[in-house]
Amino acid sequence: METRARYALIGLFMLAVIAATFGFVYWLENKGGFGERETYRVQFESSVSGLLVGSAVLFNGIRVGDVTGIALNPAQPQQVIATIDVAKHTPIREDTRVNVEQQGLTGGVAITLTGGTSTAPLPADGGIATLIAPPGVGQDWTQSARDAFQQVETILNDNAQPLNEAIENIEVFTDALARNADKVDGILAGIERMTGGGKGTAPLYSLKPAADLPPPPEEAPDWQLVIPEPTTLLAFNTDKILTKPAPDESLPLENARWSDSLPILVQAKLLETFENAGYAQRVSRTIGDFASNYQLSIDIREFDISTKGAPEAQIVILAKLLSPENEIIASRKFETSAPATGSEVRDYVDALSAAFGKIEREILDWTTKEIETAPVSVTVEPPAPLDDMPPAPDDAPADAPSDGELPPAP
């Protein structure tokens, strides 16, 4: 009997040790009932796939409890009611936000609680407070993707006919583009030449002021002259050096340009010609520089190289001289040409510079002569009225007529 009693005591001791060990481990994992807990209900309006009894409950990322029950709401089958037990002092408030998150790629699903103010306690219904999860909580990324694809499919179905027509139009356009590939290449090459693109950088050329100028005047003239920017056709308002293969055709030289647009270049060289002739203090390019001035209006009618036959520079310029009162004093058409010594770009530029030099000298002589011989406008003041005439002197004869009266006849 004593032996059996001894074995019974040993067995009871071992069972107690095992039970204590399990209890200690359970307490360490915070899954037992040793700590004080509070129970809440969480109401979901959508699917909560992956949420199980025993899933973790996290508050701001810290585990505070577990899911102790999951059930459907019999009154509203679309709702899912989860029961959670959390630590007693967890700050769950009325505005605490509820979510369901996947814990890693292969982890389980957990209920996460965030936010909430410290002054808004959660109201209890029948002793258990309820947290309401927002709609869409618990929907995983696969379900979101399925919903998005469903919306895309709906849009495609609603716009099937316009999409088919657009695809057919694209096919027609690509076919036409393939048939005209050579023309498209030519258009792009022309645009590239027009904008100054292409391989390398085109050299820049300029004109020259007139040479062999007369000596400057001995006395400085008393007139001022303004040379505004010349006017011209759109074809010549460019920095391209133009050639004329035919009377009604104009082509730019490749890989060659003026250093500026042609009207600005012509204006600058004309001003330089007048300055070199001794009129530096009398000419300007801005109308407001002088209070009273003459204006030399220049219109470029032709400025190119004729390549029909032997290359030849041809320049036609119409000049008008305006008085300070903006009246035309004189006008003249200047026309000249100069042969090119070859067919290279440098030969063409030299011919244009030579022809323009002749016109510069002619414009200088003509302008100064017309200004010097221009009539000077004289302003005649009107006579004073009779009421404003001075009184007659005191020693006037007695028979002198009074104001407004005629003398007596002899």
Side-chain angles (χ1 to χ4, degrees):
M1 293 294 293
E2 294 179 0
T3 303
R4 292 180 179 177
R6 191 182 312 124
Y7 285 133
L9 291 174
I10 294 172
L12 291 174
F13 178 75
M14 293 301 297
L15 290 176
V17 171
I18 293 172
T21 303
F22 276 105
F24 180 72
V25 172
Y26 200 67
W27 176 75
L28 287 178
E29 292 292 332
N30 199 20
K31 294 184 178 180
F34 297 98
E36 295 186 13
R37 296 292 186 102
E38 290 183 349
T39 301
Y40 295 90
R41 282 195 298 261
V42 182
Q43 178 179 310
F44 297 97
E45 300 291 337
S46 58
S47 172
V48 286
S49 302
L51 188 64
L52 304 172
V53 175
S55 297
V57 178
L58 306 178
F59 192 94
N60 289 344
I62 300 175
R63 183 166 183 168
V64 294
D66 309 283
V67 177
T68 58
I70 300 176
L72 295 174
N73 187 352
Q76 297 183 0
Q78 74 275 10
Q79 293 182 356
V80 177
I81 305 298
T83 305
I84 61 173
D85 286 349
V86 298
K88 183 176 182 180
H89 298 291
T90 303
I92 297 177
R93 300 292 183 261
E94 185 178 9
D95 54 352
T96 298
R97 295 186 297 274
V98 182
N99 198 0
V100 176
E101 294 182 359
Q102 183 80 24
Q103 302 299 298
L105 296 176
T106 59
V109 175
I111 295 178
T112 60
L113 307 175
T114 55
T117 60
S118 59
T119 59
L122 186 65
D125 183 11
I128 300 178
T130 301
L131 292 168
I132 306 299
V137 168
Q139 187 177 17
D140 58 3
W141 67 271
T142 56
Q143 182 63 37
S144 300
R146 285 193 294 268
D147 294 343
F149 283 125
Q150 183 66 33
Q151 294 179 0
V152 172
E153 184 179 2
T154 302
I155 294 174
L156 292 177
N157 291 334
D158 295 341
N159 299 275
Q161 183 176 356
L163 288 174
N164 290 333
E165 294 177 355
I167 293 174
E168 291 177 358
N169 293 334
I170 292 175
E171 292 179 352
V172 173
F173 176 74
T174 53
D175 292 341
L177 192 62
R179 291 193 304 268
N180 297 276
D182 296 338
K183 295 181 180 179
V184 173
D185 293 339
I187 292 173
L188 294 178
I191 294 175
E192 187 177 32
R193 290 193 300 269
M194 184 182 300
T195 56
K199 298 181 179 179
T201 302
L204 302 180
Y205 296 93
S206 182
L207 299 171
K208 298 178 181 179
D212 299 330
L213 297 176
E218 296 180 358
E219 296 182 0
D222 57 354
W223 47 262
Q224 293 89 27
L225 177 66
V226 174
I227 306 178
E229 181 178 337
T231 59
T232 186
L233 298 174
L234 181 62
F236 295 106
N237 193 5
T238 178
D239 61 352
K240 305 292 183 182
I241 301 177
L242 301 177
T243 62
K244 186 168 65 174
D248 57 350
E249 186 177 1
S250 181
L251 293 175
L253 289 177
E254 294 185 0
N255 298 325
R257 293 186 299 145
W258 295 118
S259 58
D260 208 327
S261 64
L262 183 61
I264 295 178
L265 195 59
V266 168
Q267 179 193 32
K269 296 307 172 182
L270 277 176
L271 285 168
E272 190 174 349
T273 297
F274 275 85
E275 291 169 353
N276 293 342
Y279 301 99
Q281 302 297 326
R282 297 298 172 181
V283 294
S284 172
R285 69 178 67 206
T286 305
I287 296 178
D289 287 349
F290 301 131
S292 177
N293 51 72
Y294 293 89
Q295 293 184 39
L296 179 60
S297 175
I298 299 295
D299 185 28
I300 303 173
R301 300 294 178 86
E302 187 174 355
F303 206 105
D304 50 25
I305 294 289
S306 175
T307 56
K308 184 179 180 181
E312 183 181 45
Q314 295 180 345
I315 299 178
V316 177
I317 290 178
L318 179 63
K320 294 181 180 180
L321 185 62
L322 282 70
S323 67
E325 291 78 17
N326 207 27
E327 297 178 353
I328 298 177
I329 299 175
S331 63
R332 179 178 169 182
K333 180 180 180 181
F334 297 90
E335 184 175 3
T336 187
S337 61
T341 58
S343 57
E344 300 295 331
V345 175
R346 182 75 263 179
D347 300 327
Y348 291 170
V349 172
D350 291 342
L352 288 170
S353 296
F356 183 62
K358 297 178 184 178
I359 288 184
E360 285 180 298
R361 173 63 186 272
E362 294 177 1
I363 290 177
L364 172 66
D365 296 339
W366 173 78
T367 303
T368 53
K369 179 180 178 182
E370 292 294 338
I371 293 178
E372 291 173 357
T373 58
V376 178
S377 59
V378 179
T379 302
V380 179
E381 296 182 357
L386 296 177
D387 295 340
D388 297 337
M389 294 181 64
D394 296 338
D395 55 351
D399 57 351
S402 59
D403 291 346
E405 297 182 358
L406 296 175

